[in-house]
Amino acid sequence: MNVRVALTSCGLLMAMVAGVAAPALSASASTPAKTVAAGKAALKPAPAQPIVLIQTPQAFCQQAASRLPNVSMALCAQAQLQANGAKSVKGHALMQRDVVSPNAHLRVLVIGGIHGDELSSTSLVLHWIRAAGETPSNIHWRFVPLLNPDAMLQAAPTRTNSRGVDLNRNFPTPNWDKEAPQYWSKRTKNDPRRYPGPKPLSEPESRWLYEEMERWKPNLIVSVHAPYGVLDFDGPTSPPQKLGRLYLDQVGIFPGSLGNYGGVHKKMPVVTIELPSAIRTPQEAEIRQMWLDLLRWTADRLGAN
């Protein structure tokens, strides 16, 4: 999650659910408590079941349908995911689906599940794969619904990956070696849920995304998170003012974040979606409206028409 807010009471509750000491609130806390009500505090452990190593789309769908909100085996199978060659720390394959328009002249990368306890983010991406196949656009879409499978597949999903690193603080922003550890120490009080790692790109999951940005050079990255109920943006163009019921709220940047690295440093626009809940998806009509608003903005601002 490209978290643009400091810890709130919801964050403290989740720290206790995860079994870690609750860190002190950052002095920069600015988001009203109502924006995170019913966020991750209600997140419950998944039913006990064997965790198989995800190497195939079928294995991914079996896990997704049993763990994610509003995801059926049929929806996941319809996504026609394929392993993209990347692996998590524990060896789970990262899954991907490309939906390509015959007249595509924009490349858009859509990422979910950077934080494993934001289950709704992966669900939304799977629903949007279906929407991309149903809605004409001049875009080459690349969807990666779950960047952090190690964390999501735990009985009690975690924000950080299996080595305890916040992947969204692990990107090589300028002066990372000084700013990222200092921010973690001073502003988060060494919150383990926001540990940036021993060095930038220390984790295979964040390293894959960094390399994908270099290889594929997307014109836009859409990063889906939860549970703050806002829309954020980093980049050189005019941001979308709303997607569905989520309205723009640009509240700063963080060392090592994807928005900072991509949008500010690389001048590659990054839209960050913060869904209102980590454990529930929006209604189908809202999912559809968010998708249509994204299409309109890419047409108006990025020339996708």
Side-chain angles (χ1 to χ4, degrees), residues 89-163:
V89 170
K90 290 186 175 180
H92 293 294
L94 300 188
M95 295 293 159
Q96 178 176 307
R97 169 69 190 282
D98 282 33
V99 180
V100 187
S101 166
N103 301 313
H105 53 268
L106 282 182
R107 296 175 302 280
V108 180
L109 179 61
V110 183
I111 301 290
I114 290 179
H115 296 141
D117 57 358
E118 295 163 11
L119 309 184
S120 59
S121 70
T122 294
S123 298
L124 181 75
V125 175
L126 289 170
H127 281 270
W128 273 6
I129 292 174
R130 181 172 64 184
E134 297 171 346
T135 313
S137 68
N138 295 325
I139 293 174
H140 179 168
W141 299 96
R142 179 161 292 172
F143 297 94
V144 179
L146 180 57
L147 189 70
N148 192 357
D150 293 1
M152 189 273 276
L153 291 176
Q154 296 188 71
T158 61
R159 173 186 171 96
T160 58
N161 77 345
S162 60
R163 289 200 286 231

Side-chain angles (χ1 to χ4, degrees), residues 286-298:
E286 175 68 2
I287 291 175
R288 178 73 173 174
Q289 189 59 56
M290 293 170 65
W291 176 256
L292 293 176
D293 287 346
L294 179 64
L295 289 182
R296 292 189 188 99
W297 178 76
T298 58

Side-chain angles (χ1 to χ4, degrees), residues 6 8 11 36 51 66 72 110 114 117 164 180 186 249 261 267 288:
T8 62
V36 294
I51 296 176
S66 67
S72 64
V110 183
I114 290 179
D117 57 358
K186 303 284 188 185
D249 184 10
Y261 175 70
K267 306 303 180 185
R288 178 73 173 174

Side-chain angles (χ1 to χ4, degrees), residues 7 20-21 23-28 159-160 163-166 168-170 175-199 254-256:
L7 285 172
V20 298
L25 285 173
S26 166
S28 64
R159 173 186 171 96
T160 58
R163 289 200 286 231
V165 174
D166 182 347
N168 202 35
R169 298 293 183 269
N170 196 233
N175 301 314
W176 188 99
D177 290 341
K178 176 182 178 182
E179 294 180 359
Q182 184 177 68
Y183 187 93
W184 181 59
S185 173
K186 303 284 188 185
R187 301 296 292 275
T188 79
K189 308 301 181 184
N190 295 332
D191 178 5
R193 298 181 70 247
R194 289 168 172 78
Y195 174 54
K199 62 181 181 179
F254 297 92

Side-chain angles (χ1 to χ4, degrees), residues 23-44:
L25 285 173
S26 166
S28 64
S30 60
T31 297
K34 66 181 180 180
T35 64
V36 294
K40 296 177 184 173
L43 189 62
K44 297 178 181 179

Side-chain angles (χ1 to χ4, degrees), residues 69-88:
N70 197 18
V71 171
S72 64
M73 277 294 292
L75 175 73
C76 190
Q78 185 182 14
Q80 299 178 30
L81 298 167
Q82 296 293 326
N84 65 15
K87 304 280 187 181
S88 68

